[in-house]
Amino acid sequence: LLFKMCSNIGRTLSRLKTVDEETMGESKLARVLTVFDLTALGVGATLGAGVYILTGSVAKDTTGPSVVISFLIAALTSILSGLCYAEFGARVPKAGSGYVYSYVTVGECCAFVIGWNLILSYVIGRLLCFNVAFKAPFIVPRRNGPFCVKTNASVARAWTGNFDALIGNKIKTHMLSCCSMDVPGLAEYPDIFSFAIVMLLTALIAFGVKEFALVNKVFTVLNIGVILFVVIAGLTQADIHNWNWTTDEIHDYFGMVTQTTIDMTPYGTGGFMPFGFGGLISGTATCFYAFVGFDCIATTGEEAINPQKSIPLGIVLSLAVCCIAYLAISATLTLMRPYFLLDTLAPLPVAFEEVGMSWASYPVAVGAICALSTSLLGAMFPMPRIIYAMAIDGLLFEFLANVHKKTKTPLVATFLSGTLAGIMAVFFDLKELVDLMSIGTLAAYTLVATSVLLLRYQPDATPVSTDEATYEKGDSKPITQSTESFEIRMLIQPKSSLPTQTVSSIVNWCTVASALSMTLFSVTAVLASSSGWNGASIAFSVIFMICSILPMICIGMQPQSNKKLSFAAKSHLLFQVPLVPTVPALNMFVNIYLMVSLPPSTWYKMLIWLVMGKLFFYELLK
């Protein structure tokens, strides 16, 4: 009896969501989003206010002028994730993003974990902008004309602070005098204005996706226009010598200014890579987070026109636009001013001021406000879709899947998530929760890459258990066991030219082994980087790296499925990730390494959140 009970639980946790032509047509949401709408959504969510701050801080403290290379590597790395999302967007054009993709290939339990993490990530993401430490900077006017950057925890609070600065910080002064909150983890005072902003934008999203897309496009176009202005105006003051300062020139410069001997350590060795290759890689890790946000496009599977075509195009185009923007801004800024003179808080306004163009700071402020707007809209839009998709599948309460007949939006999910985010904006200081956003997003990226890998080697016909009818969900099926006998030589010499159940099992186990080895390598590398490399750490790193590569070689020897889903076969474009398993494996490695690099406290908080989710999940299964 116990064995049968455990077997039933295991089958329930591992059952897959099936997607076919019939289920593809089942959507209560409005299909009105074009490729341009999706591209603007991805650009707006990704190209936030960080484009105006991130370059200066990374260039001065970490990379120097080679920040351009860091952004290029980070963009190429992000494209790996984008390609995986693009394939699933074409194969499974349903609302839910990484949650649905995991449900289709890995199983229900894993899908719930990803969906649960994405909910937390998007709640925090609504309230956070990007800078080096993932705090939301915003630009406010200084009394003498140029701009400075003030750091707060949330985009909504950034709006409040920006408005408050314009009226002399009267709101903050009044709120601190009447209702100050001196409690660890809470904000200095309840920010009612932030709640109003969040609820106003929530109402916009609930009113209709077409109206939301129009507002988002306006702010995104304005933001891109400001970036073009900054690049054109900045390049008129460019000096190529700013990429070639020598150590002696830097020493002489500060010696003339300070008339004292200076420590050159903070300024590196000069040249294009003053902090060496290590600084370049460290800067790349920071710049990678600047490209987080494009995955919101994947939640529009039931609202995009021709999603098999528009979602892949939207993801690729948005990443391309963001890549060009970051490269242009970083090149312009480091050519305008020497890297060691950049301001880490307001690099662009200060740079324009130093070259005699202080008036240019005002368009930069407009761009920052537009970027804050699109960041908030881009973070608010996906979360109701994740909740809606989970509720449709029975993993959240059914009423959360209700769609308004007139607006054709998940009204209950939209206002519930908006209210939650608004309350958090009022009371909480989210600085301590910010890393949870990154770990949840990186986990989703990892699972989507893994799902692409597993999907490519699934057999064309998957047998279904005879007791499938006992499941309540009609759109899910259990994973069945392989009936073909396994032989060692099949790791490199498969018997069939098409995927079989044995091939699928080989790929599954090799993927697990490779992911585990990647994790061990990342832990070793992170620990060695902090305490110093020695013979043992180098030896273990080499061993774990080899153990990561060998399973992928075995996967590469297996036959891939040429099957197209029946609904996708009718599409004019079905995007597929190239160079499988190399591209998904590289994507997995980068995301795992970045997750391991996060502080231990983040993992403790994530564990608590997951335990809460598991308890909730098991209650729903009863």
Side-chain angles (χ1 to χ4, degrees):
L1 180 63
L2 179 62
F3 175 79
K4 185 176 181 180
M5 183 182 300
C6 293
S7 177
N8 288 335
I9 292 176
R11 290 157 63 85
T12 301
L13 297 181
S14 62
R15 60 188 175 188
L16 303 179
K17 180 183 180 71
T18 58
V19 180
D20 52 33
E21 186 177 2
E22 183 179 349
T23 57
M24 279 297 95
E26 297 175 359
S27 175
K28 299 178 182 179
L29 306 181
R31 290 195 181 276
V32 295
L33 298 179
T34 64
V35 174
F36 182 45
D37 294 328
L38 298 182
T39 303
L41 176 62
V43 171
T46 306
L47 199 65
V51 71
Y52 298 97
I53 296 97
L54 186 64
T55 300
S57 58
V58 174
K60 182 174 183 178
D61 300 330
T62 311
T63 65
S66 63
V67 65
V68 179
I69 306 299
S70 290
F71 271 116
L72 179 60
I73 298 174
L76 294 176
T77 305
S78 299
I79 288 174
L80 298 179
S81 296
L83 292 176
C84 295
Y85 270 88
E87 173 166 336
F88 264 106
R91 284 183 175 270
V92 192
K94 299 286 286 183
S97 184
Y99 155 74
V100 170
Y101 304 161
S102 300
Y103 205 162
V104 169
T105 55
V106 183
E108 184 173 292
C109 181
C110 186
F112 179 83
V113 171
I114 292 300
W116 190 251
N117 286 341
L118 285 176
I119 289 174
L120 178 64
S121 298
Y122 284 128
V123 166
I124 301 174
R126 288 178 174 216
L127 309 175
L128 298 173
C129 273
F130 296 107
N131 70 354
V132 178
F134 280 101
K135 300 170 185 175
F138 63 93
I139 302 175
V140 296
R142 282 199 302 220
R143 292 181 180 179
N144 58 351
F147 295 78
C148 63
V149 175
K150 185 177 179 180
T151 301
N152 279 295
S154 69
V155 179
R157 285 183 171 270
W159 272 89
T160 305
N162 193 43
F163 176 79
D164 198 19
L166 294 175
I167 59 175
N169 292 318
K170 292 182 179 179
I171 296 177
K172 181 177 181 180
T173 302
H174 175 73
M175 295 300 292
L176 285 175
S177 63
C178 69
C179 46
S180 176
M181 298 189 301
D182 189 14
V183 180
L186 297 183
E188 291 181 299
Y189 60 90
D191 195 342
I192 306 301
F193 191 48
S194 291
F195 181 82
I197 293 171
V198 172
M199 295 311 298
L200 177 64
L201 295 181
T202 298
L204 171 64
I205 295 174
F207 186 72
V209 66
K210 193 172 183 179
E211 291 74 16
F212 156 81
L214 176 62
V215 173
N216 183 71
K217 282 186 291 188
V218 170
F219 282 117
T220 300
V221 169
L222 287 174
N223 187 23
I224 295 296
V226 171
I227 291 174
L228 288 174
F229 162 78
V230 168
V231 172
I232 295 172
L235 288 179
T236 62
Q237 306 295 323
D239 183 359
I240 194 64
H241 179 65
N242 288 330
W243 282 7
N244 297 286
W245 280 72
T246 65
T247 304
D248 292 337
E249 288 175 329
I250 298 174
H251 187 275
D252 293 341
Y253 174 85
F254 282 105
M256 288 187 297
V257 174
T258 63
Q259 302 297 323
T260 59
T261 302
I262 64 167
D263 180 15
M264 291 295 298
T265 303
Y267 310 111
T269 58
F272 188 72
M273 294 176 58
F275 301 99
F277 183 75
L280 177 67
I281 297 302
S282 178
T284 299
T286 301
C287 294
F288 174 82
Y289 291 110
F291 293 92
V292 171
F294 68 86
D295 52 302
C296 65
I297 298 176
T299 63
T300 64
E302 297 183 35
E303 293 164 293
I305 301 173
N306 191 7
Q308 289 95 343
K309 179 179 179 179
S310 57
I311 289 180
L313 281 176
I315 291 175
V316 173
L317 289 176
S318 62
L319 282 175
V321 170
C322 293
C323 175
I324 294 171
Y326 275 113
L327 291 178
I329 288 291
S330 58
T332 301
L333 183 61
T334 52
L335 285 172
M336 285 178 63
R337 296 288 291 162
Y339 71 92
F340 52 86
L341 295 180
L342 294 176
D343 189 271
T344 57
L345 297 180
L348 287 172
V350 172
F352 278 117
E353 181 182 8
E354 293 296 329
V355 298
M357 298 175 62
S358 58
W359 57 269
S361 298
Y362 291 94
V364 172
V366 173
I369 292 174
C370 292
L372 286 169
S373 304
T374 56
S375 292
L376 187 54
L377 287 171
M380 293 181 69
F381 181 80
M383 184 178 170
R385 275 74 189 164
I386 300 288
I387 296 175
Y388 165 79
M390 296 180 71
I392 285 288
D393 293 331
L395 299 186
L396 289 178
F397 299 114
E398 250 181 66
F399 71 90
L400 295 174
N402 291 340
V403 175
H404 194 272
K405 293 182 180 180
K406 185 176 181 180
T407 63
K408 293 188 176 181
T409 57
L411 207 61
V412 178
T414 300
F415 277 105
L416 181 65
S417 58
T419 303
L420 175 61
I423 292 173
M424 293 181 71
V426 171
F427 294 106
F428 290 98
D429 181 358
L430 300 180
K431 294 177 183 178
E432 297 300 323
L433 298 178
V434 68
D435 283 334
L436 286 177
M437 179 183 69
S438 56
I439 196 173
T441 303
L442 291 171
Y445 284 6
T446 304
L447 258 295
V448 170
T450 304
S451 298
V452 168
L453 197 59
L454 301 181
L455 182 65
R456 194 64 65 86
Y457 295 93
Q458 283 185 354
D460 289 348
T462 303
V464 182
S465 171
T466 56
D467 59 352
E468 178 184 7
T470 60
Y471 291 100
E472 294 182 2
K473 296 184 180 67
D475 60 345
S476 59
K477 66 180 181 182
I479 298 176
T480 58
Q481 299 296 323
S482 173
T483 57
E484 184 182 5
S485 60
F486 169 75
E487 299 176 12
I488 293 295
R489 66 185 181 87
M490 295 175 65
L491 292 173
I492 56 175
Q493 291 182 342
K495 293 181 178 181
S496 174
S497 60
L498 292 174
T500 63
Q501 284 294 317
T502 300
V503 168
S504 180
S505 297
I506 290 173
V507 171
N508 291 347
W509 284 108
C510 285
T511 301
V512 171
S514 182
L516 179 60
S517 299
M518 290 176 186
T519 304
L520 293 174
F521 171 85
S522 300
V523 171
T524 303
V526 169
L527 293 177
S529 299
S530 59
S531 60
W533 287 88
N534 53 42
S537 59
I538 293 175
F540 279 115
S541 296
V542 172
I543 292 172
F544 293 141
M545 180 58 69
I546 294 174
C547 292
S548 300
I549 295 174
L550 289 179
M552 288 299 164
I553 294 176
C554 293
I555 292 176
M557 302 298 292
Q558 306 303 312
Q560 295 187 26
S561 173
N562 295 319
K563 179 186 68 171
K564 293 184 178 181
L565 299 180
S566 57
F567 66 88
K570 298 181 179 180
S571 174
H572 295 292
L573 174 63
L574 174 59
F575 179 85
Q576 288 187 319
V577 176
L579 301 176
V580 174
T582 304
V583 169
L586 289 174
N587 188 16
M588 290 169 58
F589 172 74
V590 171
N591 295 326
I592 289 173
Y593 183 85
L594 291 175
M595 282 193 291
V596 171
S597 300
L598 293 171
S601 59
T602 302
W603 288 92
Y604 300 150
K605 296 167 188 172
M606 178 57 66
L607 181 61
I608 295 173
W609 177 250
L610 289 178
V611 169
M612 293 170 56
K614 285 295 183 183
L615 294 175
F616 182 75
F617 179 64
Y618 290 132
E619 284 297 321
L620 285 176
L621 289 179
K622 290 181 179 179

